[in-house]
Amino acid sequence: MDFAKHASSFGPAADLYDRTRPRYPQEALRWALGDDSRAIVDLGAGTGILTRQLSELGHRVIAVEPDDEMRRRIGGDARSGSATSIPVEDASQDAVTAGQAYHWFAGADAHTEIARVLRPGGLFVPIWNVRDESEPWVAELSDVFDGHRARSVIDERHLGPDQFGPAFAPAELRLFHWSTPHTADSLVDLIRSRSYYLVSDADTRAALERQVRELAERTFEPGEQFALPYVTYTYRAKKL
């Protein structure tokens, strides 16, 4: 897989991405960050899905996103930057979050930069919404969504406690089960927001859309709204 090509593929589909990608359970964010207002960098912020949720919970958020098209949709304090070049001062943040993003920048250089901007005791919180494949039809959906490309080197379901390097205490993990409503049409839109789809040719895109629609129509009644179950993997690591 051309990792850089996939990582930079989302800009042209920014509106679709923002409309179709799921939000995060509030209880996951409260577990990770507590209820007090914090200064937070939302790293790899995309279109600001997590950024907006953090702001709604009363946090003071700086969104950092390298893609211009994605960043324009964030609103608020949105800055150009990356995991190895975060445009904030040393030890200025209470937390750094990464929603659906850490696997694009995992590595020692990013860990060092994240630690630089955190105050002592500050938190690094990478979080992912992962489809709950204990449902047979969801496992089949994942074969369509992910079966055509190699997984990233990071498996968000199995990060070790020392994943984030020597500047951080061992990471804690908590899982949150929930679901989001879909129809066959919105499920097709969801695959249209995926990096593999975005970098594929027209024939491959058509085949992916057809497979998703056929699965939905085989599993549910025509026009039926159904729940797509997720498990939100929420990690919390404290800077030493």
Side-chain angles (χ1 to χ4, degrees), residues 2-13:
D2 186 335
F3 206 65
K5 184 178 180 181
H6 281 253
S8 62
S9 66
F10 297 107

Side-chain angles (χ1 to χ4, degrees), residues 120-160:
L123 299 170
F124 179 43
V125 178
I127 182 171
W128 286 269
N129 288 321
V130 179
R131 292 178 301 277
D132 186 352
E133 295 174 1
S134 65
E135 289 279 353
W137 79 269
V138 180
E140 189 174 349
L141 180 69
S142 289
D143 286 340
V144 179
F145 272 36
D146 299 325
H148 302 269
R149 61 177 178 84
R151 284 192 61 87
S152 74
V153 293
I154 293 297
D155 185 341
E156 60 272 10
R157 300 166 298 178
H158 303 294
L159 300 186

Side-chain angles (χ1 to χ4, degrees), residues 182-202:
H182 272 284
T183 64
D185 287 341
S186 67
L187 205 61
V188 170
D189 278 344
L190 188 61
I191 200 171
R192 288 173 177 155
S193 76
R194 305 280 297 181
S195 63
Y196 178 78
Y197 178 95
L198 293 169
V199 302
S200 294
D201 58 39

Side-chain angles (χ1 to χ4, degrees), residues 79-148:
R79 306 180 187 182
S80 178
S82 69
T84 55
S85 182
I86 302 173
V88 301
E89 296 178 354
D90 294 359
S92 62
Q93 303 298 308
D94 299 311
V96 172
T97 57
Q100 235 58 32
Y102 172 73
H103 52 284
W104 297 118
F105 54 71
D109 290 345
H111 299 155
T112 298
E113 179 70 349
I114 291 165
R116 177 188 69 80
V117 308
L118 285 171
R119 299 184 177 107
L123 299 170
F124 179 43
V125 178
I127 182 171
W128 286 269
N129 288 321
V130 179
R131 292 178 301 277
D132 186 352
E133 295 174 1
S134 65
E135 289 279 353
W137 79 269
V138 180
E140 189 174 349
L141 180 69
S142 289
D143 286 340
V144 179
F145 272 36
D146 299 325
H148 302 269

Side-chain angles (χ1 to χ4, degrees), residues 51-64:
T51 304
R52 290 189 289 273
Q53 286 191 263
L54 294 171
S55 295
E56 290 165 3
L57 289 172
H59 299 296
R60 308 178 304 282
V61 189
I62 298 170
V64 175

